[in-house]
Amino acid sequence: MLRIAVVGSGPSGVYAAQALVGQSSVPDVRVHILDRLPCPYGLVRYGVAPDHEKIKSLQNNLRAVLEDDRIDFLGNVEVGARGLGPRRLLELYHAVVYCIGAARDRRLGIPGEDLPGSHSATDFVSWYSAHPDAAPDAFALGARTAVVIGVGNVAVDVARILARGADELRGTDVPEGALEALAASRVREVHIVGRRGPSGAKFTTKELRELGALPSADVLVDPADLALETAYADPAAVPALVRRNLTVVREWADRPPQGRPRRLHVRFFLRPVELLEQGGRVGGVRFERTAPDGSGGVRGTGVYEEIEAQLVLRAVGYRGVPMEGLPFDAERGVVPNSAGRVLRDGAFSPGEYVAGWIKRGPNGVIGTNRPCAKETVNALLEDAAVLGRRQVAADPEAELRAAGHRPVRWRGWLAIEEAEAALGHTLGRPRVKIPDWAGLLGAAQGAAGAGGPEGAGGPGEGAR
Ligand code: NAP
């Protein structure tokens, strides 16, 4: 039998587990999916916006994988804590696949970035997604004007949530505290600002179009911003996705505002140079106007523009975080690897693999993780004969418990889901997410007939 640990239960971790049990070259594979959180699904639960129900429903596919008898979900187990580092994991499992994503935001590196009122978009996403590490009262939304820096899909997500009325989100699982804050929000103007032109934006057309269909916000594009866009001269020369995006923003530039309560300004060719302070908080953003440099990038023009803002969300991408005991390429924010095999000083480290964003960087859509995980698993299977000869613990879960970990097993997670459904019922809403550790662990503990203190079943009991 090959015992494999997959670290992280987001899409890449679940797809890796699926590929491991779905293959036929190694007959008996058992997988433990370890996650720091008591809840599975990673960014599908804590990153996909609450109003993107269709993408969220992907959880049903991931659930079907996690219910496979050969796969055990062990939540509330933090790799890197209680002596459970990469070295220890290799004593417990024949192989470990790290699917730990890219947990931090990239920095702008400009003055004023850390002023109160300036936040990473990932913090805002965590807050409205009820991530238990986010303070439930982190965002009061007293600002009148918000600036979102960056024109990727995260920027579009956070701008859309700011621009929606709370009533539009009542039917989602957004936590009650965030819903109340959004209902009381004073934000009326939202600026999404890209340093390049629309042809250099990273958002996808479907997500972009959604902004134009918001019932309570007008989308405004300044034709002057588009005048600089060279791709209009020869649209046939740009990829289809870019062409579609250009069509959408051009339509918006021609559309008169409808007098809706909020206004969403989509701006281009503005590079942030400083966050301006007012009364000890952020009061605005200073931008330098840019222009195409003739080789696909932009150059500064020495002309500056300020946009007032009491709230700034920096949506300039994620970056991987080093894990102690694993090699790390600080420049790319990934674990060095070859087709998923972890490289230590350029040489393959037997038994250690990576998949997902920590392998290739924070790009692509959820589905991109499936072939990415498959490639890693194929590498692992090629190494199976060597891996099978490694001496490992007979019962890794018992070892985890002995070290003080209190895994939340599948049954505990189902109890959390039930508690969230019950919370929604009490509030007259559909399922509502529990936003804090105590609430999540308390709900997991309530798992009917659980043998362990965390709704987990005792060691070796095989309780799911
Ligand atoms: P992203 O797609 O990499 O976009 C980052 C944006 O920030 C780009 O516009 C980038 O501009 C800009 N930027 C970077 N550094 C900057 C700086 N110093 N100053 C100003 N602007 C800067 O990152 P993301 O939006 O965080 O998304 C991460 C991944 O998740 C993407 O693959 C995305 O598609 C995916 N995602 C998908 C969905 C969905 O499908 N609905 C939702 C959310 C996220 P430059 O291009 O000029 O560098």
Side-chain angles (χ1 to χ4, degrees):
M1 182 197 287
L2 267 193
R3 284 188 184 282
I4 318 272
V6 169
V7 183
S9 66
S12 58
V14 177
Y15 291 142
Q18 184 177 35
L20 280 164
V21 299
Q23 50 76 41
S24 53
S25 61
V26 180
D28 198 1
V29 173
R30 298 296 161 101
V31 180
H32 278 176
I33 299 201
L34 312 177
D35 202 298
R36 191 174 80 82
L37 297 177
C39 313
Y41 309 136
L43 278 184
V44 176
R45 178 173 161 92
Y46 288 116
V48 172
D51 56 341
H52 274 175
E53 272 110 359
K54 198 157 167 226
I55 309 180
K56 282 239 176 258
S57 70
L58 201 82
Q59 286 188 11
N60 297 331
N61 304 8
L62 304 183
R63 164 194 292 268
V65 176
L66 293 178
E67 288 187 335
D68 189 296
D69 284 343
R70 295 160 294 180
I71 298 175
D72 281 308
F73 171 71
L74 301 180
N76 196 34
V77 174
E78 182 173 358
V79 172
R82 297 192 172 87
L84 188 64
R87 186 194 293 249
R88 178 68 180 139
L89 277 175
L90 279 180
E91 294 168 358
L92 302 181
Y93 297 94
H94 292 107
V96 186
V97 187
Y98 292 91
C99 304
I100 51 179
R104 288 245 172 88
D105 56 297
R106 275 183 17 207
R107 303 276 301 168
L108 286 171
I110 59 173
E113 185 165 9
D114 295 316
L115 280 169
S118 160
H119 305 265
S120 74
T122 53
D123 283 348
F124 188 61
V125 170
S126 291
W127 170 72
Y128 66 60
S129 301
H131 193 293
D133 289 346
D137 59 355
F139 289 88
L141 302 181
R144 197 161 25 83
T145 302
V147 163
V148 178
I149 299 177
V151 282
N153 278 332
V154 169
V156 171
D157 274 351
V158 298
R160 192 181 66 252
I161 295 294
L162 283 174
R164 274 203 193 282
D167 283 348
E168 297 168 45
L169 294 168
R170 274 196 74 76
T172 73
D173 64 4
V174 75
E176 191 64 7
L179 189 68
E180 283 169 10
L182 287 162
S185 166
R186 297 179 57 213
V187 176
R188 291 293 171 268
E189 309 281 332
V190 181
H191 301 259
I192 312 184
V193 188
R195 61 181 170 180
R196 298 195 277 157
S199 67
K202 297 266 176 65
F203 41 55
T204 41
T205 316
K206 185 166 161 285
E207 280 61 32
L208 189 62
R209 275 192 198 289
E210 224 181 329
L211 294 181
L214 293 177
S216 45
D218 279 325
V219 181
L220 305 171
V221 173
D222 183 348
D225 278 2
L226 303 189
L228 286 169
E229 178 55 71
T230 47
Y232 285 124
D234 184 11
V238 296
L241 164 77
V242 172
R243 233 173 12 248
R244 286 194 298 267
N245 285 349
L246 291 174
T247 306
V248 174
V249 291
R250 198 133 74 166
E251 276 169 21
W252 288 343
D254 292 341
R255 198 160 84 174
Q258 312 289 305
R260 294 181 180 136
R262 295 197 173 89
R263 293 170 5 130
L264 200 49
H265 307 260
V266 185
R267 303 291 314 271
F268 297 100
F269 294 111
L270 290 172
R271 168 160 81 197
V273 292
E274 185 179 0
L275 269 62
L276 306 168
E277 187 251 297
Q278 199 174 46
R281 296 180 54 82
V282 71
V285 186
R286 187 160 199 253
F287 292 93
E288 181 180 14
R289 187 153 270 292
T290 60
D293 64 3
S295 51
V298 287
R299 56 171 175 79
T301 61
V303 176
Y304 294 87
E305 174 174 337
E306 287 175 13
I307 301 180
E308 167 210 323
Q310 303 78 37
L311 172 66
V312 173
L313 298 177
R314 310 177 309 260
V316 295
Y318 290 88
R319 104 188 125 90
V321 178
M323 173 177 281
E324 205 181 324
L326 270 191
F328 191 67
D329 176 341
E331 202 166 302
R332 294 185 55 223
V334 299
V335 170
N337 70 92
S338 168
R341 288 183 179 96
V342 171
L343 300 176
R344 288 183 183 270
D345 297 322
F348 170 48
S349 166
E352 294 183 308
Y353 301 85
V354 280
W357 279 3
I358 198 65
K359 170 185 172 186
R360 64 173 202 276
N363 55 62
V365 293
I366 292 170
T368 315
N369 291 298
R370 191 191 280 271
C372 175
K374 190 121 185 31
E375 179 191 56
T376 297
V377 168
N378 285 345
L380 187 157
L381 294 171
E382 281 170 21
D383 304 336
V386 176
L387 300 177
R389 286 199 288 275
R390 299 188 56 253
Q391 294 297 311
V392 295
D395 186 348
E397 188 177 343
E399 303 274 341
L400 294 176
R401 286 176 184 278
H405 294 276
R406 293 288 170 262
V408 167
R409 298 183 115 261
W410 190 245
R411 207 154 41 141
W413 157 244
L414 293 181
I416 292 174
E417 274 197 321
E418 276 171 34
E420 293 189 335
L423 177 61
H425 186 73
T426 317
L427 296 167
R429 296 178 50 199
R431 201 170 68 83
V432 170
K433 277 172 155 179
I434 298 172
D436 59 284
W437 278 98
L440 291 169
L441 292 177
Q445 225 161 37
E454 62 299 291
E461 190 179 304
R464 292 188 58 75

